C-alpha cells in the first residue's frame, strides 16, 4: 500500500528557509516521477516542482532559484528545500507520486496517482 507523509512545514518570516520532507512507503521513489504541489488559501492547486525517475528536475517559474527538489533513495524520501521564502509561498504543500517515470506537460503534472495529506507552510511577519 502506498503512503506519502509530509513533514517540515511551519511558520517562518519572509527571507527564511524551510525543508519539507515526504516519507514514502509501498514503492521506490527513484522508479517514479514525484512532485510537490501546493494550495494557497482560497486558491486552486498549483504544481511547484517535479523530479523524474532519472533525476531530472523542473520548477514553476515563481520558485526557480529559490526551491530545490531532491530525493534520498536510501531513505525513500522526497525533499523540497525552500529558501528566500515569500508571503505568497504560504500554502499547504503536498507531495505526489505518478504512475510514470517522467511528466512532460502541464496536464501530466496534475495527473498524479497518489498525494499525501500535506504540510502547512506560512510565511509572515
Amino acid at each position: 500500500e502506498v503512503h506519502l507523509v509530509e513533514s517540515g512545514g511551519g511558520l517562518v518570516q519572509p527571507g527564511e528557509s524551510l525543508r519539507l520532507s515526504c516519507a514514502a512507503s509501498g514503492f521506490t521513489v527513484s522508479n517514479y516521477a514525484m512532485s510537490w504541489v501546493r494550495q494557497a488559501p482560497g486558491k486552486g492547486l498549483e504544481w511547484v516542482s517535479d523530479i523524474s525517475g532519472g533525476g531530472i528536475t523542473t520548477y514553476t517559474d515563481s520558485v526557480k532559484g529559490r526551491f530545490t527538489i531532491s530525493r534520498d533513495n536510501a531513505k525513500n524520501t522526497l525533499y523540497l528545500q525552500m529558501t528566500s521564502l515569500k508571503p505568497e509561498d504560504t500554502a499547504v504543500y503536498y507531495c505526489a507520486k505518478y504512475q510514470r517515470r517522467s511528466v512532460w506537460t502541464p496536464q501530466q503534472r496534475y495527473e498524479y496517482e497518489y498525494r499525501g495529506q500535506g504540510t502547512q507552510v506560512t510565511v509572515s511577519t
Side-chain angles (χ1 to χ4, degrees), residues 22-86:
C22 172
S25 59
F27 71 101
T28 301
V29 293
S30 60
N31 289 343
Y32 299 92
M34 299 285 295
S35 73
W36 289 95
V37 296
R38 66 187 179 185
Q39 187 163 24
K43 296 189 177 180
L45 203 63
E46 177 190 24
W47 165 80
V48 175
S49 176
D50 64 69
I51 181 168
S52 72
I56 297 172
T57 59
T58 315
Y59 301 90
T60 192
D61 286 346
S62 64
V63 308
K64 282 180 181 176
R66 300 189 298 120
F67 290 11
T68 303
I69 190 171
S70 64
R71 66 182 181 225
D72 184 325
N73 294 340
K75 295 182 178 180
N76 213 38
T77 298
L78 181 74
Y79 300 100
L80 185 68
Q81 178 68 48
M82 305 185 294
T83 64
S84 301
L85 282 161
K86 303 176 180 179

Side-chain angles (χ1 to χ4, degrees), residues 4-5 9 18 22 32-33 35 37 53 55 61 65 71-72 76 84 92 94 104-106 114 118 121 125:
L4 299 168
V5 181
L18 278 176
C22 172
Y32 299 92
S35 73
V37 296
D61 286 346
R71 66 182 181 225
D72 184 325
N76 213 38
S84 301
V92 178
Y94 303 91
W104 301 108
T105 68
Y114 294 96
V121 172
T125 55

